[in-house]
Amino acid sequence: QVQLVESGGGSVQAGGSLRLSCTASDNTAGTSCMAWFRQAPGKEREGVAVISADRRTRYADSVKGRFTISQDNAENTLYLQMNSLKPEDTAMYYCAATAARCYTPIWTSALYTFWGLGTQVTVSS
């Protein structure tokens, strides 16, 4: 069982930046996909960014060029650098990891076994 703990959320004005962190209790690098999902009130959860075991990345069209996902294997930590934030980025952000080996960056949330409790990001205009 892998435990994931997110941090780094907060309130910023439009155009600002935040860096989210997700610390895993076990080293998932090299085998799992890890991803950031988000869910705004009244909306479905959506994938934001994912990194596969072989370090391939994939981003939602809405965040391309603004968000960067990265991983520090030594610290078992996943990051999401968010720049040029917009009010529509306001949501609860969740870190997730697959239990199975994963070498293709996938969006399907049902394939992610481990989830953190989330960190809130609020962007004001």
Side-chain angles (χ1 to χ4, degrees), residues 8-99:
S11 296
V12 296
Q13 290 190 331
S17 298
L18 284 172
R19 188 175 81 156
L20 305 183
S21 299
C22 171
T23 301
S25 62
D26 197 3
N27 190 351
T28 60
T31 59
S32 302
C33 282
M34 293 196 74
W36 290 97
F37 291 82
R38 68 185 180 187
Q39 187 167 20
K43 295 187 177 181
E44 293 188 354
R45 184 169 54 192
E46 62 174 350
V48 176
V50 58
I51 185 166
S52 63
D54 57 355
R55 299 300 186 104
R56 287 188 287 161
T57 59
R58 183 179 175 188
Y59 296 91
D61 289 342
S62 59
V63 306
K64 280 181 183 177
R66 300 188 297 121
F67 290 12
T68 303
I69 189 170
S70 62
Q71 197 169 27
D72 184 328
N73 294 347
E75 296 185 354
N76 296 342
T77 303
L78 180 74
Y79 299 100
L80 183 68
Q81 178 67 45
M82 305 186 295
N83 299 326
S84 302
L85 282 160
K86 304 175 180 180
E88 50 264 43
D89 294 319
T90 295
M92 184 71 81
Y93 283 71
Y94 299 92
C95 170
T98 62

Side-chain angles (χ1 to χ4, degrees), residues 16 67 76 113 115 117:
F67 290 12
N76 296 342
T113 302
W115 291 81
L117 296 179

